[in-house]
Amino acid sequence: MSAVGYHNVFRSIGGERYRVLAVEKPGARNTSEPPVGGTAEGCPQAFIEEHTLDRWAEALKASLAAARSIAGVTADRTLVIGHSEGGVLAARLTRLDPAIAHAALLASPGPDPVEELAIWGESRKRPRADTLAMVASIRAAPDSTSD
């Protein structure tokens, strides 16, 4: 578990009242940030291949199943919290696991990530048309890890 992050806030205020399980993105490196913040540029191939909705959801399901096997963990009182893109996964996990009682999304993306990406690109002087063309090429090969 890293020394920083929201999970430590929950741990510090919860005491023995609840357990906290923090799950990082599959393929993420704990020791360094991506070379180009906010992108996958320069990330290891393992991260690019593993950091998908389906793979991350599977990692979360497996982690939650393991946690629920620990004495004192009550499966029917599970609260899932996701921050940023983790909020998307918190919602996905809640959809996949009917035993989850509640979900909380902290600063999670809105319903249109393409618009968010376009705004981000514009802030870096990338024309909106270029971003939309990039999104179209990604959608044309949704299973590719290099397009």
Side-chain angles (χ1 to χ4, degrees):
M1 180 175 293
S2 67
V4 297
Y6 289 113
H7 56 278
N8 285 317
V9 173
F10 300 124
R11 280 182 44 207
S12 66
I13 63 173
E16 294 298 317
R17 294 180 299 168
Y18 52 82
R19 307 271 193 241
V20 175
L21 169 67
V23 182
E24 184 54 271
K25 301 171 200 168
R29 298 176 295 180
N30 292 334
T31 58
S32 65
E33 289 294 316
V36 181
T39 77
E41 294 175 38
C43 287
Q45 188 63 28
F47 174 79
I48 293 169
E49 291 170 359
E50 290 295 313
H51 186 217
T52 67
L53 178 67
D54 291 337
R55 292 292 298 140
W56 198 355
E58 284 302 314
L60 291 171
K61 283 174 43 181
S63 298
L64 188 54
R68 286 175 171 161
S69 71
I70 298 171
V73 174
T74 307
D76 64 341
R77 296 181 57 188
T78 303
L79 163 64
V80 175
I81 302 172
H83 174 256
S84 191
E85 64 186 321
V88 174
L89 272 295
R92 177 74 175 149
L93 183 61
T94 301
R95 174 73 168 92
L96 296 172
D97 186 340
I100 294 173
H102 298 86
L105 313 182
L106 306 176
S108 184
D112 187 2
V114 172
E115 183 62 22
E116 184 178 359
L117 185 63
I119 292 168
W120 180 83
E122 288 172 343
S123 72
R124 286 159 175 74
K125 309 295 187 230
R126 177 186 294 150
R128 179 175 285 266
D130 289 357
T131 299
L132 297 179
M134 177 183 65
V135 168
S137 72
I138 291 168
R139 287 181 171 161
D143 294 327
S144 173
T145 60
S146 60
D147 290 342

